[in-house]
Structures are given as structure tokens and as C-alpha cells.
Amino acid sequence: MRMEYLGSTEINVKKEVKVVNRAETDGNKNTFERYRGYLLRGFLLLLVGTTIFSDKAKNYVDLTYLKFFIDLDRIDSYSWGTAAPAFLYWELTNAVVPDYKYVAGYMALLQAWVYDHFKDIGGAKSKSYVEEMPRACKYDLTKGQTN
């Protein structure tokens, strides 16, 4: 059932893998566009599933979010900026449960918020930060953190 969100059926996947191998030599624009859509959907699913809606308790990306990528022209109309803190807040409410072992969500967003609102524990501010940059870039990495 999830294959329909990728724009294909399970039966046709093997055939399509062979087709994409020939698409470069044939120069078939329709084939390239179809596979470009597949790649975009896969990349966006990975991006959304590992950043905004990350789930630390599992080691896979939930395919529930794939339904948002059926129509690639509508992606920019979704309110991803509202969904990220809402999901993070929902996960933080779960984190106060004594048996809960993991905190999920976009931790860079939480870290930037903590640095902005709790001045005593704020990170070292970056000298190269400009207001047009993402808020998380405002602070330099602390000891033990890497890019």
C-alpha cells in the first residue's frame, strides 16, 4: 500500500529499476521526471523522519509521513515550522514519564531555545552569525559536539 505513495506498485518496482538504468542512454525525459519524483520523495521522507519527526526509540523512519509527499507541488504549503515545535512539545510531555527512556524530536531546536531563554547556560555566541541564518547557527559548538 505504501508503494502507491511513491508513485509505483510493488509489481512494477523490479521493471522500473531496469528502466532507470536505460533511461540515461535513451534520453527519455518522462522516465527521468518520474524517478526524480521517487528520489525527492525518498529524500524528503528521510529528512523529515530524521530531523523534525525523529523518534529515538526506533531505528527507522515512519512511513506515515510519506502521505505528505504524494503531491510534490504542495510541500511548500505545509506548515513545517509549526509542526516541528508541536511534535517536540508532544515528545517532551512523554519524556517526564518515569519509564520513558528516550527523548525524540528536533533536539537542535530545543537546544537553541534553551540557549536563548536561559542566559546562564547559553552557549558561546558565534561571531559569524547573521540574523538571516537559522537560529541554531547563533551559537558555537560546545566541548564534545561536532558538526
Side-chain angles (χ1 to χ4, degrees), residues 55-124:
D55 189 354
K56 304 295 183 194
K58 301 177 185 122
N59 59 357
Y60 59 87
V61 175
D62 193 358
L63 291 179
T64 306
Y65 307 114
L66 194 54
K67 64 184 172 189
F68 297 113
F69 307 127
I70 293 171
D71 185 5
L72 292 174
D73 294 329
R74 293 185 55 200
I75 291 173
D76 61 342
S77 67
Y78 298 137
S79 182
W80 299 107
T82 305
F87 182 79
L88 180 60
Y89 179 74
W90 179 262
E91 287 297 323
L92 288 174
T93 60
N94 292 335
V96 297
V97 175
D99 293 336
Y100 199 77
K101 296 179 183 178
Y102 304 99
V103 177
Y106 191 32
M107 290 297 116
L109 176 67
L110 179 63
Q111 184 178 9
W113 183 87
V114 168
Y115 284 171
D116 276 348
H117 290 83
F118 297 94
K119 302 298 182 195
D120 296 344
I121 60 172

